[in-house]
Amino acid sequence: MKTVAVVDYGMGNLRSVAQAVLHVARGSGFEVVVTSRPEDVRAADRVVLPGQGAMPDCMRELAESGLRACVLEAATDKPLFGVCVGMQMLLDRSAEGPTDGLGLIHGEVLRFDLEGRLQPDGSRYKVPQMGWNQVFQTQPHPIWEGVPDASYFYFVHSYYARPSDARHSAGEADYGTRFTAAVARDNIFATQFHPEKSADQGLALYRNFLHWTP
């Protein structure tokens, strides 16, 4: 049986991510393992890297858990799905801290600068962005298969990714500014939003991930 490892380094939204992946994995031939063991990540066929909280804390815990090296190894040749801060960690550097990321996708993570800005309905923009927002697919990708463009997904974040190469931006959203909501490169796909909190469209992304052959 093939295995999907959900990486447990102490900072991810593990239960909801794992439950969503388990749901779509039923009958697929995949076993879903939530693990803090590097050997499990190395043995897995696919890897999910969740994350929530502050980027410096996530990077520190990933290193101290002993999982940083095996995540970097997985990123060389296994399908890897990053979620929320798990997406931000893939980039070179974040303004939060500031702190260095994993450098798997070149670019930086910036904080929303929306002080005094008003939304179209006249209300002030709030940081963090919390709630549903449309995601516009900026390039075709197998993970988007069957998901209509401009579908709504659930966000909770104060920082957003800005890849150095626009070709690595797979989806965008608007919140006072246009920002990257999904990144992709080779065998890596990641989202700023939470697929596990995004109803059927979010589950579709995880289902597509199980069948994706980069």
Side-chain angles (χ1 to χ4, degrees):
M1 180 174 286
K2 296 181 179 179
T3 304
V4 181
V6 179
V7 182
D8 178 8
Y9 58 99
M11 295 296 295
N13 190 17
L14 293 172
R15 187 176 184 281
S16 59
V17 171
Q19 288 299 315
V21 180
L22 277 166
H23 178 78
V24 301
R26 290 189 187 118
S28 69
F30 277 95
E31 178 185 8
V32 180
V33 178
V34 178
T35 183
S36 58
R37 291 158 40 100
E39 56 266 37
D40 290 343
V41 177
R42 290 190 171 97
D45 298 282
R46 295 166 192 269
V47 176
V48 178
L49 180 66
Q52 65 179 16
M55 171 90 162
D57 295 338
C58 288
M59 290 303 302
R60 183 188 65 251
E61 292 299 321
L62 185 67
E64 292 182 355
S65 68
L67 291 162
R68 186 180 188 275
C70 64
V71 169
L72 287 171
E73 290 170 20
T76 63
D77 60 2
K78 296 177 182 180
L80 173 68
F81 197 125
V83 181
C84 194
V85 180
M87 180 188 99
Q88 296 177 6
M89 293 165 71
L90 302 178
L91 278 78
D92 293 317
R93 190 165 179 81
S94 174
E96 187 175 15
T99 188
D100 291 334
L102 295 171
L104 294 167
I105 293 178
H106 292 312
E108 58 186 341
V109 178
L110 304 172
R111 193 178 195 280
F112 281 118
D113 183 12
L114 301 172
E115 185 69 29
R117 298 275 302 279
L118 298 180
Q119 301 192 62
D121 64 3
S123 63
R124 290 184 179 275
Y125 281 102
K126 295 180 180 179
V127 178
Q129 176 191 195
M130 297 181 64
W132 297 84
N133 200 350
Q134 285 179 291
V135 174
F136 303 94
Q137 299 167 21
T138 52
Q139 60 171 291
H141 196 284
I143 300 294
W144 292 131
E145 185 176 352
V147 177
D149 191 21
S151 291
Y152 281 86
F153 294 91
Y154 191 83
F155 290 81
V156 182
H157 65 126
S158 301
Y159 292 79
Y160 62 94
R162 186 167 69 186
S164 300
D165 189 335
R167 292 175 297 179
H168 295 154
S169 179
E172 295 181 346
D174 285 300
Y175 192 68
T177 186
R178 192 84 161 186
F179 69 92
T180 293
V183 297
R185 180 183 68 78
D186 302 328
N187 54 302
I188 298 170
F189 190 92
T191 63
Q192 179 61 65
F193 55 84
H194 290 270
E196 69 281 358
K197 297 181 180 179
S198 299
D200 290 346
Q201 303 300 359
L203 291 176
L205 299 187
Y206 284 137
R207 186 176 295 110
N208 289 340
F209 174 66
L210 294 183
H211 301 288
W212 176 35
T213 304

